[in-house]
Amino acid sequence: MPIQRFTAENFRCLEKIELDVHRHFNLIHGANASGKTSLLEALAYLGRGKSFRGASPAQLVRYGADAFVLFGRVETGGHVASLGVRNSRHGLEVRIDGVNDAGTAALAEALPLQVIDPDVHNLVAGGPEERRRFLDWIAFHVEPGYLDLWRRFRRALRQRNVALKKGAPSYEMHGWNIAFVELARKLDAGRQHALHTAMASLDKIGTALLGSSVGFEYQRGWSGELPLQATLEATIERDLQFGGTQAGPQRADLKIIHDDRRARKLVSRGQQKLLAAAMVLAATETAQAALQRPLLLLLDDPAAELDADSLGRLMERVVALGCQVVATSLEPEIPGFPATPALFHVERGVLKRSP
């Protein structure tokens, strides 16, 4: 099981909570604004070092406190590891098994997780950066060395953009182009392989949730008519004008087709949520197969914007996935969820185990 025990202090409305997490299914129920989502956000923060709601550390520290502290015991690599996160105006501190400054990448390796929340539809309806992050998350867990490659590419992109803003001469830009293109090709190949690895799960789960096939087309971020090196040379004046690189993997996108239509524009909000949830579940299944261990899946109010049939199909796929699940609900049950999960109630930031 990914996480056994979790504690949070001074995180949003949570002064201090302790959660003994069941290895399979956990349900946290309570009224609106009681602290349910804050608890999920804290769990996700322990595995990511950032908020899935886009909140800054200042917004996350409980009023009157100087810092928030998160701690968890997780199973990783055949042993139980201790993860600790502290954040304050002095910055983020990460400790794993007593080692300081381990970094957020180490958190993601120790506690791999995914989140389905009411904003998950943005994976379909939002900008391409959402879908790039989706592909990068899969590649991080299935492609050895992908994180280092991604970091090197981002560094090469920054360096090229700095040269563009300075109006560097053509011979200098040629040198930056060579380094950029080499890393861009490798990053592009990693993303394409990650998508290929996930395609069977994407097709299976997408069809199960939506009742029809879903298509995915990777768009790499530059025209297929010219190699990237030639594209950069042909568009150098535009890059100089904008002060940034307009072609490359930083512009990539994932085109999603449902019923022969561009899903981003033509499906309803509920269908977008189902489609995005299918993508998250497929990514989770793909990573679990690569890592050969269950992941943590956080479900924040899965019933929101879904009819009973859609919710039932979603929960059926969640249960079949075999991961560790922590879900929230207004009521002490979710249709389609196992009848006897570990049940917890939260009220005004206070968490109690339900009988």
Side-chain angles (χ1 to χ4, degrees):
M1 72 195 233
I3 187 164
Q4 299 175 345
R5 184 170 178 80
F6 174 71
T7 63
E9 295 184 19
N10 295 321
F11 189 95
R12 288 200 186 266
C13 66
L14 308 174
E15 181 176 5
K16 183 173 183 178
I17 61 104
E18 297 181 357
L19 179 66
D20 289 316
V21 193
H22 189 274
R23 66 183 306 107
H24 293 307
F25 303 109
N26 304 265
L27 179 57
I28 300 164
H29 68 99
N32 288 327
S34 60
K36 304 187 302 296
T37 299
S38 295
L39 198 157
L40 288 195
E41 187 179 16
L43 273 167
Y45 206 105
L46 184 65
R48 294 181 173 180
K50 62 181 181 180
S51 164
F52 67 75
R53 300 162 78 183
S56 68
Q59 294 172 305
L60 298 175
V61 176
R62 186 171 179 267
Y63 180 77
D66 295 325
F68 67 77
V69 178
L70 310 173
F71 174 81
R73 294 181 62 81
V74 304
E75 291 186 15
T76 176
H79 76 285
V80 177
S82 298
L83 274 60
V85 169
R86 185 180 189 275
N87 212 334
S88 67
R89 60 185 177 86
H90 300 295
L92 178 68
E93 302 171 45
V94 175
R95 176 178 294 186
I96 299 180
D97 283 339
V99 178
N100 291 325
D101 301 322
T104 56
L107 290 176
E109 288 181 333
L111 184 58
L113 61 88
Q114 276 285 11
V115 181
I116 296 177
D117 71 340
D119 291 328
V120 70
H121 71 280
N122 286 327
L123 182 56
V124 174
E129 65 278 3
E130 298 281 347
R131 293 176 289 281
R132 286 196 295 270
R133 280 195 290 267
F134 169 77
L135 287 174
D136 288 337
W137 186 89
I138 299 173
F140 173 74
H141 290 294
V142 306
E143 294 282 314
Y146 184 82
L147 176 62
D148 178 64
L149 171 63
W150 183 87
R151 286 171 169 168
R152 289 164 58 205
F153 169 76
R154 298 299 300 181
R155 185 162 55 248
L157 175 62
R158 286 194 298 269
Q159 291 169 336
R160 187 178 191 273
N161 287 343
V162 167
L164 287 168
K165 290 175 182 176
K166 292 193 305 183
S170 58
Y171 70 87
E172 184 177 331
M173 291 308 307
H174 180 73
W176 289 121
N177 287 350
I178 292 174
F180 177 82
V181 167
E182 179 185 1
L183 293 168
R185 287 172 176 167
K186 292 179 180 179
L187 191 78
D188 176 69
R191 284 176 174 169
Q192 292 199 50
H193 183 259
L195 179 60
H196 176 76
T197 303
M199 277 305 300
S201 292
L202 285 165
D203 182 66
K204 175 187 67 178
I205 299 176
T207 301
L209 292 190
L210 293 158
S212 59
S213 62
V214 181
F216 296 88
E217 178 185 325
Y218 175 67
Q219 300 175 326
R220 60 185 183 175
W222 69 93
S223 171
E225 297 177 0
L226 292 174
L228 181 56
Q229 179 79 32
T231 299
L232 294 176
E233 292 172 356
T235 59
I236 184 62
E237 293 301 324
R238 185 180 64 173
D239 285 357
L240 286 168
Q241 178 183 357
F242 283 97
T245 306
Q246 303 302 303
Q250 77 282 0
R251 299 287 182 177
D253 199 357
L254 184 62
K255 185 178 180 181
I256 309 168
I257 304 296
H258 177 232
D259 282 343
D260 296 325
R261 297 175 297 177
R262 185 72 180 266
R264 180 182 175 187
K265 295 182 178 179
L266 298 178
V267 298
S268 69
R269 176 75 169 254
Q271 286 177 308
Q272 288 176 348
K273 178 173 180 176
L274 276 182
L275 178 50
M279 293 170 65
V280 171
L281 296 183
T284 303
E285 184 173 72
T286 301
Q288 285 187 155
L291 300 174
Q292 297 187 330
R293 61 185 174 115
L295 271 64
L296 174 62
L297 178 64
L298 305 176
L299 301 177
D300 188 19
D301 193 13
E305 298 181 328
L306 295 181
D307 58 43
D309 289 342
S310 297
L311 178 61
R313 292 196 301 273
L314 172 61
M315 299 312 299
E316 181 179 357
R317 296 311 311 177
V318 167
V319 172
L321 201 57
C323 56
Q324 185 183 36
V325 181
V326 181
T328 67
S329 174
L330 290 171
E331 304 298 331
E333 62 180 359
I334 300 175
F337 207 53
T340 56
L343 192 62
F344 304 87
H345 181 254
V346 62
E347 183 177 1
R348 296 181 181 179
V350 177
L351 181 72
K352 294 182 179 180
R353 180 72 181 259
S354 297

